[in-house]
Amino acid sequence: MVFDFVSWFLGRRDKPRSKDLAKERLKVVLTHDRVDISPQMFEKLRRDLAIACAKYVEIDEAAMSVRLDSQDRRLALIASVPVLGTKATAYSSKRRGKMG
Amino acid sequence: MNGKVMVVTSGKGGVGKTTAVANIGCALARRGKKVALVDADIGLRNLDIVLGLENRIVFDIIHAMEGRCRLRQALIKDKRVQTLYLLPAAQSKDKEAIQPEQMKQLTGELRDQFDYVILDCPAGIERGFKNAIVGADDAIIITTPEVSAVRDADRIVGLLEAEGIEKPKLVINRIRPDMVKRGDMLDIDDVLDILAIDLLGVVPDDESVITSTNKGEPAVLDGASRAGEAFRRIAARLEGEDVPFLSMEAPTFWGRIKRFLGAAR
Ligand SMILES: Nc1ncnc2c1ncn2[C@@H]1O[C@H](COP(=O)(O)OP(=O)(O)O)[C@@H](O)[C@H]1O
Ligand SMILES: [Mg+2]
């Protein structure tokens, strides 16, 4: 209590300001409102994206992140897909494994 | 005359559409423009009482549309501001009573006689909203710095775009400088960052809006009202003037004293 008062008096604030929460939450919800996509559909999109990527490269699906972002009312799908190896290297390393 | 038809809309109710229509309209009329305010909130007539014209209604918008009176008979002329007129909503009908084509025709007729035709839109995104925007060239979106109002405003931007009304302009109403200062209310930049549309004005939360509404005299008629000043600046901007936005700084102790002395002088 006393500490709260002192830190308040010194102008220090550790509590997040409620407007920052409002802004963060609004940004997320509006981005989804704007594309009008349900969480289920979004999950399907993420899965399909993973499957598509996996056709060409070996990916770490658990570590992949996909999100929607908007700037000036324009939307972007931002994906980060960790690549473990190209198919060629994956193939050859497997082969090498077998041979060795 | 070839006036401009503007709709004032928000999605969410109670954020200040009717207040804004009354004040912006009154301010434009005081600048010498011929202004028609149209209450398109059918069944929930309000603009008349905010303007203090509730005792003068004989005919309403539906009478005029159905040809049961002439348009000019339904238009109530304000006595304080010579060039201000009100077309009241019908109180006994509901929103279904109007067809979009009728609304288009009506705004077209008004456009020929006025510099500005300003429509007070009902809350929601249903039939009443669609009717109110169908004849409009431009839109003014009202929001308050709260999550639900901002979210609804964003939805309205999308719906307006779909109806061919591009580039709506934003008014942020009921800003509380003390809360903004503590970080407990979204500030102007936050709201603009989120909605990404052009800013037309910022209006403080101000008791004088309520007292002026009690009296039926829009706050712009009160020279000492901060909200009134904000609405006067919005009218100036609509007229193409480049005026600074009203400062939303929380008044300091000395600032308050200075203002008190200024008002007393
Ligand atoms: N800037 C303001 N300061 C204080 N009160 C306000 C302000 N703007 C609107 N109000 C009040 O908020 C309430 C809702 O306003 P109103 O214009 O009727 O909203 P809407 O037409 O969007 O439903 C009214 O009681 C009005 O007096
Ligand atoms: Mg209203």
Side-chain angles (χ1 to χ4, degrees), chain A residues 8 13 16-27 29-34 36 70-74, chain B residues 146-148 150-152 154-155 157-158 161 180-187 189-190 193-197:
Chain A
W8 171 81
R13 37 172 92 249
R17 300 179 303 174
S18 72
K19 76 127 178 186
D20 294 331
L21 291 175
K23 194 173 178 184
E24 220 32 65
R25 292 172 57 229
L26 263 172
K27 278 196 155 169
V29 82
L30 287 193
T31 304
H32 283 265
D33 281 358
R34 284 172 190 170
D36 193 15
S70 64
Q71 195 118 68
D72 290 338
R73 308 199 67 81
R74 280 211 302 245
Chain B
E146 287 169 76
V147 287
S148 50
V150 173
R151 184 183 193 179
D152 288 1
D154 189 72
R155 186 105 166 79
V157 176
E161 248 166 34
V180 170
K181 200 173 172 199
R182 310 199 279 276
D184 277 332
M185 182 176 267
L186 293 168
D187 64 28
D189 289 332
D190 294 328
D193 190 24
I194 293 164
L195 290 178
I197 59 175

Side-chain angles (χ1 to χ4, degrees), chain B residues 30 208 211-212 215 218-226 228-229 232:
Chain B
R30 286 234 304 190
S208 73
T211 52
S212 70
K215 294 185 274 188
V220 290
L221 298 176
D222 170 4
S225 163
R226 295 273 294 162
E229 175 60 21
R232 284 192 291 271

